[in-house]
Amino acid sequence: MYGLWKWYLNKSFILKISTGFLLGIGVGLIFGPSAGVLAPLGDIFLKLLKMAVVPLILFSIIVSINNTNPKELGRIGGKIFPYYIITTALAVFMGIGIAKLINPGSGLSLPQNSSMDVPEAPALIDVLMQIIPTNIFEALANGNILSIVFMAVIVGFAVSFMRHSHEAQTKEWGNLLLKLMEAGSEVTFRILNGILQYAPIGVLGITATTIGNQGLDTLSALAKYVFASYVGVGIQMFILFPIILLMFRVPVIKFITNTREAIVTAFVTSSSLATLPVTIKAAHKAGISERVANFTLPVGATVNMNGSAIHFGVGVVFAADIVGYELSIGAIVGIILAGTLAAIGTAGVPGAGLIGMSIVFTQAGLPIEIVALTAGVNVITDMVFTTCNVTGDIVGAAVVDQSEKKHTIHPVEELTRKVASK
Ligand code: ASP
């Protein structure tokens, strides 16, 4: 028994997770909706991952703020946020462009029965205001990720100021707090390693249930919409991201090889947040420095959604086609703006894009019943949108890390400088 466990532990994560995925497809196809009995297996996996996400975000942000000096941190933030905003806006634009070529909505009409479940569109300003928590314990308990990120940044800076205080007592407390956070981060990663051993079974459960429930009928009705979404994501993943990586001299093939576990996990979980633990590990494996990865990735998993942005672009054209609405240049600019903000406000959980899409539709004056129409195939499109979201986060981290390298003085170089200055 022990030998079997050892054998299992030594097998690569990607092999195990792919086996779970393929078995899941098989089971789903053979048993159809009754494969749903396996749903709890998948739920256990997602719950375990989510359980680790709050401590992970809290500890890794606080620790990484303290491992980076404020000047560096400002520089990293000053690079990563423009990257998020520019790539997201481009992704909305690209989604619109691809959908314009494919015309996914042609031939379809507005569903007669409009009493469908339409996600409620919260006002954009409300989404942004929610970032500041009125009660930190409530934010932690409810898993309100944006608020937790906000809080972690504040606590991280406060601890850093304490550690640099002139008062011995305050300094000592600051150092003690940081040690505690580092220990917390270590224990979270250890627990995560255990959780990931369960991943293949969880993936089997998720895939069997999804494939079993997803009748081929919905898919064929909206096939063009699904196709446009996949093409958009394909362009972003296989053309735009490699171009960005090459521009910053990051070797593309090596990058994909090192990060594939995160890419596959995003695909099967449809959740950037649930994937975050794997994303951070993959970034470390890809050689991205901890100070960049541990700060940018939790933030990225929360605010950077390139795939969701493509979703909004494709969705808007799809709806405009159905209702016969001509998109003017002005309307497109407005949609890019609303789409970018909605993507930032989209949570990294399965199906969250549907809420973002209703925000964009409301801004664009399109009927949100069409969001409900696409909800039928959202499980299939969400997989690739999430994959794109997570890949975008790691590409951002890699790019910033690469550009940070010129600011890091190699120890030998530092020594040479010291000797030369004597
Ligand atoms: N499921 C996506 C994610 O977690 C968000 C979305 O639905 O667009 O990244």
Side-chain angles (χ1 to χ4, degrees):
M1 193 65 196
Y2 180 70
L4 193 68
W5 177 236
K6 261 242 104 85
W7 172 85
Y8 179 77
L9 281 184
N10 285 334
K11 289 279 162 254
S12 83
F13 179 71
I14 201 89
L15 177 75
K16 289 188 273 194
I17 209 167
S18 313
T19 311
F21 183 63
L22 292 177
L23 282 177
I25 294 185
V27 172
L29 287 177
I30 296 170
F31 295 99
S34 35
V37 289
L38 296 182
L41 293 180
D43 290 345
I44 292 176
F45 179 50
L46 292 178
K47 282 183 128 182
L48 286 171
L49 280 175
K50 283 183 195 152
M51 176 185 90
V53 160
V54 170
L56 184 78
I57 292 182
L58 199 63
F59 295 134
S60 55
I61 292 186
I62 296 176
V63 171
S64 70
I65 284 181
N66 279 273
N67 286 340
T68 320
N69 69 45
K71 213 171 111 199
E72 269 180 343
L73 206 62
R75 213 175 45 226
I76 294 175
K79 288 174 188 168
I80 201 72
F81 285 108
Y83 164 88
Y84 288 160
I85 292 170
I86 294 170
T87 52
T88 305
L90 281 177
V92 182
F93 182 66
M94 209 253 301
I96 296 178
I98 295 297
K100 278 255 167 220
L101 290 176
I102 297 177
N103 278 326
S106 57
L108 284 173
S109 54
L110 201 62
Q112 290 305 309
N113 172 14
S114 286
S115 63
M116 299 168 96
D117 233 358
V118 179
E120 208 185 311
L124 220 44
I125 186 74
D126 291 342
V127 176
L128 298 177
M129 285 305 278
Q130 272 167 15
I131 295 176
I132 307 172
T134 42
N135 178 342
I136 55 172
F137 297 104
E138 192 181 89
L140 285 172
N142 293 340
N144 190 343
I145 301 297
L146 270 181
S147 307
I148 297 174
V149 168
F150 178 82
M151 193 175 93
V153 170
I154 291 181
V155 175
F157 276 109
V159 170
S160 170
F161 285 131
M162 284 175 77
R163 288 177 47 242
H164 293 99
S165 159
H166 296 302
E167 286 168 34
Q169 177 72 87
T170 313
K171 204 180 171 103
E172 196 187 317
W173 281 340
N175 285 328
L176 185 71
L177 280 172
L178 178 61
K179 276 217 173 87
L180 274 174
M181 299 297 159
E182 282 171 340
S185 168
E186 178 65 27
V187 74
T188 312
F189 271 104
R190 279 175 190 246
I191 292 172
L192 269 168
N193 280 336
I195 295 174
L196 291 182
Q197 296 308 328
Y198 175 73
I201 301 171
V203 167
L204 189 153
I206 298 172
T207 320
T209 317
T210 313
I211 301 283
N213 278 336
Q214 198 62 51
L216 287 177
D217 310 347
T218 9
L219 186 62
S220 60
L222 294 173
K224 267 165 112 187
Y225 168 79
V226 175
F227 179 66
S229 305
Y230 272 63
V231 172
V233 170
I235 293 180
Q236 183 89 11
M237 295 279 294
F238 300 111
I239 301 178
L240 296 182
F241 285 151
I243 291 179
I244 298 176
L245 289 172
L246 286 175
M247 271 165 51
F248 286 84
R249 297 179 199 289
V250 179
V252 178
I253 303 288
K254 218 163 125 197
F255 175 86
I256 297 173
T257 323
N258 286 327
T259 57
R260 64 187 196 275
E261 294 178 353
I263 297 175
V264 173
T265 310
F267 183 80
V268 294
T269 59
S270 288
S271 167
S272 309
L273 271 183
T275 309
L276 181 62
V278 190
T279 314
I280 294 183
K281 278 181 74 169
H284 293 171
K285 197 166 156 195
I288 300 173
S289 70
E290 282 194 21
R291 67 195 171 100
V292 173
N294 292 5
F295 176 65
T296 61
L297 293 175
V299 178
T302 327
V303 302
N304 183 42
M305 305 279 168
N306 293 163
S308 312
I310 297 175
H311 184 181
F312 305 153
V314 172
V316 158
V317 177
F318 175 70
D321 268 358
I322 292 181
V323 295
Y325 176 82
E326 246 335 292
L327 293 172
S328 64
I329 303 279
I332 291 180
V333 172
I335 291 162
I336 293 177
L337 210 69
T340 307
L341 289 173
I344 292 172
T346 296
V349 295
L354 291 175
I355 302 173
M357 191 138 98
S358 19
I359 296 180
V360 181
F361 276 28
T362 313
Q363 307 276 327
L366 289 162
I368 46 177
E369 284 77 11
I370 297 177
V371 176
L373 185 64
T374 66
V377 285
N378 198 57
V379 231
I380 296 166
T381 50
D382 204 6
M383 293 171 125
V384 286
F385 293 142
T386 311
T387 307
C388 185
N389 287 344
V390 169
T391 312
D393 297 341
I394 320 181
V395 170
V399 161
V400 171
D401 188 52
Q402 196 70 3
S403 75
E404 278 295 294
K405 283 196 178 129
K406 21 178 211 290
H407 296 283
T408 329
I409 305 174
H410 193 273
V412 177
E413 194 185 328
E414 197 176 33
L415 198 69
T416 327
R417 281 190 195 182
K418 271 192 190 149
V419 173
S421 66
K422 282 212 169 134

